[in-house]
Amino acid sequence: MNYSRQRSLILDIIKNTTSHPTAEWIYQEAKKELPSIGIATVYRNLNTLVEMGEVVRLATGDGHDRFDGTAE
């Protein structure tokens, strides 16, 4: 699939971590490579990646969903 640079970066960040990161953590990591990326862009792309089945959303119950990149 052809992803935008932002979506590709977000997916790479998720797939290259052994933890289950929050959107805020993903945003902080993404800003290191794309300083102009916004938090809304991260959330929008995470939602799209979940809908596409590329990423799994893990509801933690504390209001901070986490994400897993090992979706099969």
Side-chain angles (χ1 to χ4, degrees):
M1 291 202 167
N2 190 11
Y3 295 143
S4 68
R5 182 170 180 213
Q6 292 95 338
R7 189 168 300 151
S8 292
L9 175 60
I10 291 165
L11 186 57
D12 286 346
I13 289 168
I14 295 169
K15 287 190 176 285
N16 290 309
T17 183
T18 56
S19 67
H20 294 119
T22 62
E24 180 64 33
W25 185 87
I26 295 165
Y27 167 65
Q28 293 301 328
E29 291 298 304
K31 281 183 60 117
K32 294 175 184 175
E33 190 165 324
L34 286 175
S36 63
I37 197 167
I39 189 73
T41 300
V42 172
Y43 276 106
R44 189 169 48 253
N45 280 286
L46 284 170
N47 287 331
T48 300
L49 289 167
V50 168
E51 289 171 8
M52 295 171 68
E54 293 284 334
V55 172
V56 175
R57 181 187 320 267
L58 306 169
T60 60
D62 66 1
H64 298 285
D65 290 347
R66 294 183 174 270
F67 297 88
D68 182 87
T70 58
E72 294 296 323

